[in-house]
Amino acid sequence: MNKVIREYINDIDSVSLNTLIDLSQGSLGIALRFNKSDAISIYNTILDVIINLPNSNFKNINDIATEFTIIKNNELLFIIESIMQQFYLKLLKSIVIVDYSYVNNVLKKENIALETLKKYLSADQVYNLWSNFERKIYNIRTLNIDLKQTLIDTFIDIKVAINVEDIKF
């Protein structure tokens, strides 16, 4: 897969290449879509938000969601949906499976985000967060609900679930 992607994407470093392969779950077409849409940057921003959720407030969450909605990217919903689905699945695995050492070290930030939430959440909570996220994505698609508000709600749902402190507005 590395060689094939390198044929289509010039000047990609090995960390970005491995991240792209992981995010696309080995799909060349999705990897190319993600590369064209700067999905790695979006992925890193989402991980930063998750890592910092225990110390964040509503203003931080709102500012990040606003930054996402400013992005002029037709693929944004697809990217966020894909990233969050994979993240919730990996989080569930990291909670349920004790030995999670098989995760590639290239994804260190993701591991930090997983470990951050793993301290606070049960598998049932993650499943509920994931289900709520899926419902929100469905509502965006069918009811034309605002992506910014969905991102705010998603991050607040996680923040409330980890129950670190009250959300200050």
Side-chain angles (χ1 to χ4, degrees):
M1 181 73 168
N2 290 2
K3 290 180 183 178
V4 175
I5 289 178
R6 285 189 188 274
E7 288 179 24
Y8 291 95
I9 303 171
N10 298 327
D11 301 326
I12 186 167
D13 62 88
S14 60
V15 172
S16 296
L17 177 63
N18 286 320
T19 303
L20 204 55
I21 290 169
D22 185 63
L23 290 176
S24 67
Q25 298 178 325
S27 166
L28 177 60
I30 292 174
L32 295 175
R33 275 175 79 180
F34 278 0
N35 184 65
K36 184 178 177 183
S37 301
D38 200 24
I40 293 173
S41 174
I42 294 166
Y43 164 75
N44 283 318
T45 301
I46 288 172
L47 292 179
D48 287 337
V49 170
I50 291 170
I51 290 167
N52 293 304
L53 273 175
N55 302 317
S56 64
N57 58 35
F58 179 77
K59 183 178 179 334
N60 301 125
I61 294 169
N62 185 60
D63 290 348
I64 293 296
T66 300
E67 285 180 37
F68 275 122
T69 57
I70 291 172
I71 298 171
K72 300 297 182 211
N73 187 335
N74 294 333
E75 299 282 340
L76 188 60
L77 179 59
F78 174 71
I79 292 167
I80 291 172
E81 178 184 20
S82 297
I83 289 170
M84 292 302 293
Q85 284 177 346
Q86 289 180 54
F87 185 80
Y88 282 131
L89 178 60
K90 289 175 183 177
L91 182 57
L92 271 174
K93 285 180 181 178
S94 74
I95 290 171
V96 175
I97 301 169
V98 177
D99 180 16
Y100 198 59
S101 60
Y102 62 87
V103 175
N104 190 334
N105 284 333
V106 171
L107 304 174
K108 288 180 184 176
K109 188 187 280 188
E110 182 178 83
N111 288 337
I112 293 168
L114 290 169
E115 291 301 318
T116 298
L117 293 185
K118 184 177 168 181
K119 290 186 267 184
Y120 300 103
L121 300 174
S122 70
D124 287 340
Q125 287 174 302
V126 174
Y127 176 77
N128 288 333
L129 288 167
W130 191 355
S131 295
N132 288 341
F133 177 74
E134 287 296 313
R135 183 181 38 78
K136 289 173 184 160
I137 294 298
Y138 175 81
N139 288 340
I140 287 175
R141 287 200 168 108
T142 58
L143 304 173
N144 201 23
I145 303 292
D146 182 42
L147 176 60
K148 176 184 173 184
Q149 189 59 50
T150 299
L151 287 169
I152 291 169
D153 292 347
T154 298
F155 292 133
I156 287 177
D157 286 350
I158 297 170
K159 174 114 174 124
V160 168
I162 63 177
N163 199 22
V164 173
E165 63 181 57
D166 291 334
I167 296 177
K168 295 176 178 72
F169 292 89

